Amino acid sequence: MTSPLVSSQAAAEVKWHVKPGAEQALIEVAQGTLLAASTFSGFTGGNLLRPAPDSTNGEWQLVLQFATPEQLRAWQTSALCRAWKARSDALTVGAARVERISGFEGWFVDPARVKKSGPPKWKIALVTLLGIYPLIMVVPKLLEPLIGAWPPWLGNLVVTSSVMGLMTWLIMPLLTKVFNSWLYAGAQASSSASDG
């Protein structure tokens, strides 16, 4: 059985500057948005990132993750999404900025820091490789006794699903925690320089 090709998740970041005194209302709207998005096919998670205490820009972020770009697009173009966006716009200074997070970058959003960019792409690629390479070497061999007689397309589907599940809920959360200070080392240095 060949090693699976793993497709990346699709994620979007919604960024706001909240009106003074509207913080709690925005938290409730963000929670409602996450709940509404979770009813859509392909939703894999999300998180509200509040500004860090030492943040100078005061920017709030809502990260929404879907299994595929098409599923993310279905959410973003829905009437339900537009309704929640209108509610958040009433609580913020200006309209929300929505940015797509490409590839595996959605795993590297650091809740302790709210900033415009994540780690450098080469660091993201290296940590992702560190997580995925052992899995694509081990998982097919472990599943071979169970799925060896199955049609290749079905066996690859099971292997790919297993690898993606392990990457999403076990390996990447662990690796991003272990390598957190290294991943954000450059960002911390530039942030300290700009604060000084």
Side-chain angles (χ1 to χ4, degrees):
M1 180 173 294
T2 59
S3 297
L5 292 174
V6 180
S7 60
S8 59
Q9 291 195 358
E13 256 180 332
V14 183
K15 299 181 179 184
W16 301 290
H17 284 94
V18 185
K19 290 178 181 174
E23 293 84 2
Q24 186 57 42
L26 184 71
I27 291 169
E28 292 168 10
V29 168
Q31 290 170 341
T33 302
L34 286 170
L35 186 60
S38 73
T39 66
F40 277 66
S41 177
F43 179 78
T44 59
N47 198 10
L48 174 64
L49 309 176
R50 304 177 195 200
D54 58 348
S55 171
T56 55
N57 70 5
E59 193 169 63
W60 292 59
Q61 296 179 29
L62 180 66
V63 178
L64 298 157
Q65 293 177 314
F66 286 81
T68 68
E70 294 75 23
Q71 290 167 326
L72 172 60
R73 196 174 307 110
W75 157 253
Q76 289 180 313
T77 57
S78 71
L80 197 52
C81 178
R82 286 193 300 273
W84 281 105
K85 183 182 180 306
R87 290 182 68 179
S88 69
D89 285 349
L91 303 170
T92 59
V93 178
R97 287 189 358 255
V98 180
E99 299 175 6
R100 295 292 283 277
I101 303 174
S102 61
F104 290 112
E105 291 175 74
W107 277 318
F108 295 90
V109 176
D110 182 4
R113 302 175 186 89
V114 176
K115 54 190 186 314
K116 291 187 177 177
S117 60
K121 289 185 185 295
W122 69 270
K123 288 186 178 183
I124 292 173
L126 196 58
V127 173
T128 303
L129 176 65
L130 187 62
I132 207 164
Y133 183 74
L135 289 179
I136 63 173
M137 295 300 292
V138 171
V139 170
K141 294 198 182 309
L142 290 176
L143 293 177
E144 182 70 30
L146 174 66
I147 61 175
W150 294 7
W153 68 267
L154 185 56
N156 280 332
L157 177 63
V158 170
V159 169
T160 302
S161 300
S162 301
V163 169
M164 283 307 297
L166 288 167
M167 284 291 286
T168 301
W169 288 289
L170 179 65
I171 303 299
M172 291 313 293
L174 177 64
L175 288 178
T176 53
K177 186 174 183 178
V178 168
F179 290 102
N180 187 60
S181 59
W182 175 74
L183 284 164
Y184 292 92
Q188 289 171 338
S190 62
S191 173
S192 299
S194 63
D195 291 345

